[in-house]
Amino acid sequence: EVQLVESGGGLVQAGGSLRLSCAAPGLLFDEYVIAWFRQAPGKEREGVSSISLRDGRTHYAHSVAGRFTISSDNVLKTVYLQMNSLKPEDTAVYYCAAEPVMVYQWNEEYEYDHWGQGTQVTVSS
């Protein structure tokens, strides 16, 4: 069973930083694409970033490019999302998602079969 466990969310002031973690202990880790999505109240879930653990290729939404960085630790089987210069509009529940081998549209929910439970990020102004 694929299990994804997010952590690292919390309350931070605008301009601050948080680092989210997505642990996947049961995964054949380097065969997966891992993505971060977020869902704000009243809005649809949107793709934030993804990383291919096979070749290291990353993608970012325009709204977070230059502020967020996705990375992985293949020994710990954990993917991180470093979030800097946070804005109130970054407030959302953040989810990690996993799909083996590859995806065609990194920011589409339907590409991913495995999801974590989410972690709340709140940015105050």
Side-chain angles (χ1 to χ4, degrees):
E1 180 184 354
V2 175
Q3 185 178 18
L4 304 175
V5 181
E6 302 100 331
S7 61
L11 173 63
V12 64
Q13 288 189 330
S17 298
L18 283 174
R19 188 178 77 160
L20 305 183
S21 299
C22 173
L27 231 53
L28 290 173
F29 198 67
D30 56 2
E31 293 296 320
Y32 274 75
V33 175
I34 306 289
W36 286 97
F37 285 75
R38 66 185 181 187
Q39 187 166 21
K43 294 188 177 182
E44 293 187 355
R45 194 173 298 187
E46 63 172 350
V48 175
S49 182
S50 73
I51 184 167
S52 167
L53 299 174
R54 300 184 84 184
D55 60 17
R57 185 174 299 182
T58 59
H59 294 90
Y60 296 94
H62 291 306
S63 59
V64 306
R67 299 188 298 123
F68 291 11
T69 303
I70 193 168
S71 63
S72 68
D73 184 323
N74 287 24
V75 174
L76 295 179
K77 295 190 175 184
T78 300
V79 169
Y80 303 99
L81 186 68
Q82 177 67 43
M83 306 186 297
N84 298 329
S85 302
L86 282 161
K87 305 175 181 179
E89 51 264 43
D90 295 317
T91 295
V93 178
Y94 283 70
Y95 300 88
C96 68
E99 181 65 19
V101 184
M102 67 174 291
V103 299
Y104 292 97
Q105 297 291 334
W106 73 268
N107 57 347
E108 293 288 353
E109 290 184 69
Y110 62 75
E111 292 278 9
Y112 301 90
D113 284 338
H114 309 290
W115 291 81
Q117 82 289 350
T119 186
Q120 176 70 47
V121 171
T122 303
V123 184
S124 63
S125 57

